[in-house]
Amino acid sequence: MRKLFILFAACALIAAFTVPAIAKVHMGGIVFLDAYYHEFDKEACLASVGPGGTNDWSQTEMEIPDITRLYGKWTNDAGDVGMHIELGLGNQNGSEVQNNSVRLRHANAWWKINPTLTLLVGQADGSFSNLNVSQMLGEEGNRLHVIGLGFGNIYCGRNPQIRLEVKFSDAVSFKVALLDPHGAAGAIGNPGVGGTEESTLPRIDMVLPIKFGPLFLEPGLSYHKVEFDEVTAGMDDSFDIIAYGLGVKFSAGPLTISGEYTIGQNWANAGTDQNILQLWENVWGIGGVQINASGSFEDSDDFAYWVDLAYKAGTATFHFIYGCQGSEAWTAAGDVETERTMYGVSIPIAVAKTFIIRPEYMVYDWGEVKSPGAADTELGEEIVAGVQFQIVF
């Protein structure tokens, strides 16, 4: 990754020295520092949701999360072609020893074909599920709760893609993207049908952003067909990963209410690779596709939703957050149900234009697993409480 960083720096210097010859070059970045108290109760440790053991666990942590970033943007004179390169810096793998990872977040270019059509190619944020919870603290140990992942917020990731945006008016547009399909079964591997995974059709994401004055709506769809070759005779050779979502945001003076509701199936099979298929990251315990006695696939049913109530008072904005996520997965004895929730408060305070302090207190209730013919398994709770420092340059 050091070579990648050197290459980025070299490109930045070239851009800086050629500013008179090109239209617009902007370089910048954001540095984050997390300082927080982290706790798992006894039930979470016993259920191996936490670090293990038989007693409560807690410690104070300080780290540079890998949402810290350095970026460069370029646009030509006509304003119809642009490029975006962005590196993530910091604690990618939750190491408590070193915070020195460097990875690629964005590498894309766009072309405004005409006032209605814009084409984007490269690695960029996905089109599906664009609204996010205002929650930013606690990335250690791969227990990534940032923006409520795994507890109500469905994040589509940054993926290699080809995306077309059609702008019908200032109020209505449509985005459709084709994304890399591989790695979709990586979360649980081959479900047991034999053969090998050979998905040939790309994942497709679609959204329809609509603005009605202070009201914003964004219905969306994400679909991916996972296929297998040379499967065992009599067994299914494909299943679908699908999500339907609706995002809503309403603003009135100092008050903003935002939220998102998503339903679908087989989210556990979506994989977690940062740059290939991060459609549903860190959805621990969410059910995936299963195989019945006749060799047919049985889909899981999944849901997620969150609400963020924000009120701006001076330089501070108070965010009151609630989220919930769960699944129902097939077994021969009956369906297994899981459900977890999060709730808490996050208060970004603009000390200066480029310096933000964010106190935050969040509770993550891992809920319980309900299995037919057996006692419910309690998974316990987790608490993340502390302060995030953010400097923008």
Side-chain angles (χ1 to χ4, degrees), residues 198-222:
E198 64 156 15
S199 298
T200 55
L201 297 176
R203 179 181 123 202
I204 182 168
D205 288 0
M206 296 184 290
V207 292
L208 183 69
I210 305 171
K211 295 180 181 179
F212 296 105
L215 179 63
F216 172 78
L217 300 174
E218 189 177 64
L221 167 69
S222 180

Side-chain angles (χ1 to χ4, degrees), residues 106-109 120-125 158-163 178:
H106 291 267
N108 60 76
L120 179 144
V121 295
Q123 181 163 297
D125 289 326
R158 290 176 294 274
N159 308 283
Q161 62 186 271
I162 302 171
R163 184 172 75 205
L178 302 178

Side-chain angles (χ1 to χ4, degrees), residues 38-40 143 145 362-364 366 380-384:
H38 196 183
E39 176 185 286
F40 286 93
R143 298 182 181 92
H145 302 323
M362 293 294 299
V363 177
Y364 299 96
W366 288 79
E381 289 186 351
E382 176 184 5
I383 294 175
V384 177

Side-chain angles (χ1 to χ4, degrees), residues 100-257:
N100 59 0
S101 66
V102 180
R103 64 185 179 85
L104 184 66
R105 289 170 59 93
H106 291 267
N108 60 76
W110 55 267
W111 171 34
K112 191 172 183 178
I113 302 171
N114 57 46
T116 301
L117 299 176
T118 300
L119 178 69
L120 179 144
V121 295
Q123 181 163 297
D125 289 326
S127 299
F128 180 74
S129 183
N130 287 300
L131 296 182
N132 290 316
V133 180
S134 184
Q135 180 277 313
M136 299 291 290
L137 187 64
E139 198 172 0
E140 182 273 327
N142 283 335
R143 298 182 181 92
L144 183 61
H145 302 323
V146 174
I147 63 175
L149 294 180
F151 284 81
N153 187 25
I154 303 303
Y155 174 54
C156 59
R158 290 176 294 274
N159 308 283
Q161 62 186 271
I162 302 171
R163 184 172 75 205
L164 182 67
E165 178 177 3
V166 183
K167 186 175 182 180
F168 299 109
S169 67
D170 291 338
V172 182
S173 61
F174 174 72
K175 298 178 183 179
V176 58
L178 302 178
L179 300 92
D180 183 3
H182 302 292
I188 62 170
N190 189 313
V193 297
T196 55
E197 190 266 319
E198 64 156 15
S199 298
T200 55
L201 297 176
R203 179 181 123 202
I204 182 168
D205 288 0
M206 296 184 290
V207 292
L208 183 69
I210 305 171
K211 295 180 181 179
F212 296 105
L215 179 63
F216 172 78
L217 300 174
E218 189 177 64
L221 167 69
S222 180
Y223 175 77
H224 180 209
K225 190 178 189 66
V226 182
E227 302 169 289
F228 299 89
D229 185 33
E230 298 180 352
V231 302
T232 303
M235 290 191 170
D236 285 347
D237 60 1
S238 67
F239 63 86
D240 299 326
I241 301 172
I242 191 166
Y244 307 93
L246 176 63
V248 180
K249 188 173 184 178
F250 176 80
S251 299
L255 180 66
T256 299
I257 302 173

